[in-house]
Short mmCIF file of all heavy atoms in Angstrom, two decimals:
data_model
loop_
_atom_site.label_atom_id
_atom_site.label_comp_id
_atom_site.label_asym_id
_atom_site.label_seq_id
_atom_site.Cartn_x
_atom_site.Cartn_y
_atom_site.Cartn_z
N SER A 670 127.31 93.33 100.90
CA SER A 670 127.45 93.88 99.56
C SER A 670 128.91 93.78 99.13
O SER A 670 129.81 94.01 99.94
CB SER A 670 126.99 95.35 99.53
OG SER A 670 127.40 95.98 98.33
N SER A 671 129.11 93.44 97.86
CA SER A 671 130.49 93.34 97.36
C SER A 671 131.15 94.71 97.26
O SER A 671 132.37 94.82 97.26
CB SER A 671 130.50 92.66 95.98
OG SER A 671 129.76 93.44 95.05
N ALA A 672 130.34 95.78 97.16
CA ALA A 672 130.89 97.13 97.03
C ALA A 672 130.80 97.91 98.34
O ALA A 672 131.75 98.58 98.74
CB ALA A 672 130.14 97.88 95.94
N MET A 673 129.63 97.80 99.01
CA MET A 673 129.39 98.61 100.21
C MET A 673 129.57 97.74 101.45
O MET A 673 128.65 97.03 101.86
CB MET A 673 127.99 99.21 100.14
CG MET A 673 127.82 100.19 98.99
SD MET A 673 126.10 100.63 98.64
CE MET A 673 125.58 99.19 97.68
N ALA A 674 130.73 97.78 102.03
CA ALA A 674 131.11 96.85 103.10
C ALA A 674 130.27 97.01 104.36
O ALA A 674 130.18 96.09 105.18
CB ALA A 674 132.59 97.02 103.43
N TYR A 675 129.66 98.18 104.54
CA TYR A 675 128.89 98.45 105.75
C TYR A 675 127.51 97.81 105.73
O TYR A 675 126.83 97.75 106.75
CB TYR A 675 128.74 99.96 105.94
CG TYR A 675 127.98 100.62 104.81
CD1 TYR A 675 126.59 100.72 104.85
CD2 TYR A 675 128.65 101.13 103.70
CE1 TYR A 675 125.88 101.31 103.81
CE2 TYR A 675 127.95 101.73 102.66
CZ TYR A 675 126.59 101.82 102.72
OH TYR A 675 125.90 102.40 101.68
N LYS A 676 127.06 97.32 104.58
CA LYS A 676 125.65 96.96 104.42
C LYS A 676 125.29 95.64 105.11
O LYS A 676 126.07 94.71 105.17
CB LYS A 676 125.29 96.85 102.93
CG LYS A 676 125.33 98.19 102.20
CD LYS A 676 124.59 98.14 100.89
CE LYS A 676 123.10 98.21 101.11
NZ LYS A 676 122.35 98.20 99.84
N ARG A 677 124.03 95.62 105.61
CA ARG A 677 123.45 94.40 106.20
C ARG A 677 122.15 94.12 105.46
O ARG A 677 121.06 94.38 105.95
CB ARG A 677 123.20 94.61 107.69
CG ARG A 677 124.45 94.75 108.53
CD ARG A 677 124.10 95.25 109.93
NE ARG A 677 123.29 94.28 110.67
CZ ARG A 677 123.78 93.42 111.58
NH1 ARG A 677 125.07 93.42 111.84
NH2 ARG A 677 122.99 92.59 112.22
N ASN A 678 122.29 93.63 104.23
CA ASN A 678 121.11 93.40 103.40
C ASN A 678 120.25 92.26 103.96
O ASN A 678 120.79 91.24 104.41
CB ASN A 678 121.53 93.06 101.97
CG ASN A 678 122.24 94.21 101.30
OD1 ASN A 678 122.08 95.36 101.70
ND2 ASN A 678 123.06 93.92 100.30
N PRO A 679 118.93 92.39 103.89
CA PRO A 679 118.03 91.33 104.38
C PRO A 679 117.89 90.21 103.35
O PRO A 679 116.80 89.93 102.85
CB PRO A 679 116.72 92.08 104.59
CG PRO A 679 116.74 93.15 103.56
CD PRO A 679 118.18 93.57 103.43
N MET A 680 118.98 89.54 103.04
CA MET A 680 119.00 88.62 101.90
C MET A 680 118.11 87.39 102.13
O MET A 680 117.55 86.86 101.18
CB MET A 680 120.44 88.18 101.58
CG MET A 680 121.29 87.70 102.75
SD MET A 680 121.02 85.97 103.21
CE MET A 680 121.71 85.14 101.80
N ARG A 681 117.96 86.95 103.36
CA ARG A 681 117.11 85.77 103.59
C ARG A 681 115.64 86.12 103.40
O ARG A 681 114.87 85.35 102.82
CB ARG A 681 117.37 85.20 104.98
CG ARG A 681 118.80 84.70 105.14
CD ARG A 681 119.10 84.16 106.51
NE ARG A 681 120.55 84.27 106.77
CZ ARG A 681 121.16 83.78 107.82
NH1 ARG A 681 120.47 83.14 108.75
NH2 ARG A 681 122.46 83.93 107.97
N SER A 682 115.27 87.29 103.90
CA SER A 682 113.89 87.74 103.68
C SER A 682 113.63 87.98 102.20
O SER A 682 112.54 87.68 101.69
CB SER A 682 113.64 89.03 104.46
OG SER A 682 113.82 88.81 105.84
N GLU A 683 114.61 88.50 101.52
CA GLU A 683 114.47 88.71 100.07
C GLU A 683 114.32 87.37 99.35
O GLU A 683 113.55 87.25 98.39
CB GLU A 683 115.67 89.48 99.54
CG GLU A 683 115.68 90.94 99.98
CD GLU A 683 116.97 91.67 99.65
OE1 GLU A 683 118.05 91.05 99.66
OE2 GLU A 683 116.90 92.87 99.37
N ARG A 684 115.03 86.36 99.81
CA ARG A 684 114.91 85.04 99.19
C ARG A 684 113.55 84.42 99.47
O ARG A 684 112.97 83.75 98.61
CB ARG A 684 116.02 84.11 99.67
CG ARG A 684 116.07 82.79 98.91
CD ARG A 684 117.21 81.90 99.37
NE ARG A 684 118.49 82.57 99.18
CZ ARG A 684 119.61 82.20 99.80
NH1 ARG A 684 119.59 81.19 100.65
NH2 ARG A 684 120.73 82.83 99.56
N ILE A 685 113.03 84.66 100.68
CA ILE A 685 111.66 84.20 100.97
C ILE A 685 110.69 84.82 99.97
O ILE A 685 109.84 84.12 99.40
CB ILE A 685 111.26 84.58 102.41
CG1 ILE A 685 112.03 83.75 103.44
CG2 ILE A 685 109.75 84.38 102.62
CD1 ILE A 685 111.82 84.18 104.89
N ALA A 686 110.82 86.12 99.75
CA ALA A 686 109.93 86.81 98.81
C ALA A 686 110.10 86.26 97.40
O ALA A 686 109.11 86.04 96.68
CB ALA A 686 110.21 88.31 98.84
N SER A 687 111.33 86.01 97.02
CA SER A 687 111.61 85.54 95.67
C SER A 687 111.03 84.15 95.42
O SER A 687 110.34 83.91 94.42
CB SER A 687 113.13 85.53 95.45
OG SER A 687 113.45 85.17 94.13
N LEU A 688 111.27 83.22 96.34
CA LEU A 688 110.74 81.87 96.19
C LEU A 688 109.22 81.85 96.33
O LEU A 688 108.54 81.08 95.65
CB LEU A 688 111.38 80.94 97.22
CG LEU A 688 112.86 80.60 97.01
CD1 LEU A 688 113.41 79.81 98.20
CD2 LEU A 688 113.07 79.82 95.72
N SER A 689 108.69 82.70 97.20
CA SER A 689 107.23 82.77 97.37
C SER A 689 106.56 83.21 96.08
O SER A 689 105.51 82.68 95.70
CB SER A 689 106.88 83.74 98.50
OG SER A 689 107.36 83.27 99.74
N ARG A 690 107.15 84.17 95.42
CA ARG A 690 106.61 84.64 94.14
C ARG A 690 106.57 83.47 93.14
O ARG A 690 105.60 83.32 92.39
CB ARG A 690 107.49 85.77 93.61
CG ARG A 690 106.92 86.51 92.42
CD ARG A 690 107.86 87.65 92.03
NE ARG A 690 108.19 88.49 93.17
CZ ARG A 690 109.41 88.94 93.44
NH1 ARG A 690 110.43 88.64 92.65
NH2 ARG A 690 109.62 89.71 94.49
N TYR A 691 107.60 82.66 93.16
CA TYR A 691 107.65 81.51 92.25
C TYR A 691 106.50 80.54 92.55
O TYR A 691 105.81 80.08 91.62
CB TYR A 691 108.99 80.78 92.38
CG TYR A 691 109.08 79.57 91.48
CD1 TYR A 691 109.45 79.69 90.15
CD2 TYR A 691 108.73 78.31 91.95
CE1 TYR A 691 109.49 78.59 89.31
CE2 TYR A 691 108.76 77.21 91.11
CZ TYR A 691 109.15 77.35 89.80
OH TYR A 691 109.17 76.26 88.97
N VAL A 692 106.28 80.23 93.82
CA VAL A 692 105.23 79.28 94.18
C VAL A 692 103.85 79.82 93.81
O VAL A 692 103.01 79.10 93.27
CB VAL A 692 105.29 78.94 95.68
CG1 VAL A 692 104.12 78.04 96.08
CG2 VAL A 692 106.61 78.25 96.02
N MET A 693 103.62 81.10 94.10
CA MET A 693 102.31 81.67 93.80
C MET A 693 102.00 81.65 92.30
O MET A 693 100.88 81.35 91.89
CB MET A 693 102.22 83.10 94.35
CG MET A 693 102.12 83.16 95.87
SD MET A 693 101.90 84.84 96.49
CE MET A 693 103.60 85.41 96.55
N ILE A 694 102.99 81.91 91.49
CA ILE A 694 102.80 81.85 90.04
C ILE A 694 102.72 80.40 89.56
O ILE A 694 101.92 80.05 88.69
CB ILE A 694 103.94 82.60 89.31
CG1 ILE A 694 103.92 84.09 89.69
CG2 ILE A 694 103.81 82.43 87.80
CD1 ILE A 694 102.64 84.81 89.37
N ASP A 695 103.52 79.54 90.17
CA ASP A 695 103.53 78.12 89.79
C ASP A 695 102.17 77.47 90.01
O ASP A 695 101.82 76.51 89.33
CB ASP A 695 104.62 77.39 90.60
CG ASP A 695 104.79 75.94 90.17
OD1 ASP A 695 104.91 75.69 88.95
OD2 ASP A 695 104.82 75.06 91.05
N ALA A 696 101.41 78.00 90.96
CA ALA A 696 100.08 77.43 91.24
C ALA A 696 99.15 77.52 90.04
O ALA A 696 98.13 76.81 89.98
CB ALA A 696 99.46 78.14 92.45
N LEU A 697 99.48 78.36 89.07
CA LEU A 697 98.67 78.43 87.85
C LEU A 697 98.84 77.18 86.98
O LEU A 697 97.95 76.83 86.21
CB LEU A 697 99.04 79.67 87.04
CG LEU A 697 98.69 81.02 87.65
CD1 LEU A 697 99.28 82.15 86.81
CD2 LEU A 697 97.17 81.17 87.74
N ASN A 698 99.99 76.53 87.09
CA ASN A 698 100.25 75.36 86.24
C ASN A 698 99.24 74.24 86.43
O ASN A 698 98.64 73.77 85.46
CB ASN A 698 101.69 74.87 86.47
CG ASN A 698 102.69 75.61 85.64
OD1 ASN A 698 102.65 75.59 84.42
ND2 ASN A 698 103.62 76.30 86.29
#
């Protein structure tokens, strides 16, 4: 985190969720 130096955010897992959401919605196209 740019503000909270102690944090260990699960950013890769969050990116998996983010891209997965895109693919699931994209399947409607």
Side-chain angles (χ1 to χ4, degrees):
S670 167
S671 62
M673 296 167 279
Y675 62 88
K676 293 197 77 178
R677 292 168 65 99
N678 296 337
M680 49 82 69
R681 297 179 205 186
S682 299
E683 289 171 327
R684 188 178 300 162
I685 290 173
S687 184
L688 290 173
S689 295
R690 190 178 309 137
Y691 179 84
V692 175
M693 288 184 276
I694 297 301
D695 186 49
L697 292 172
N698 275 298

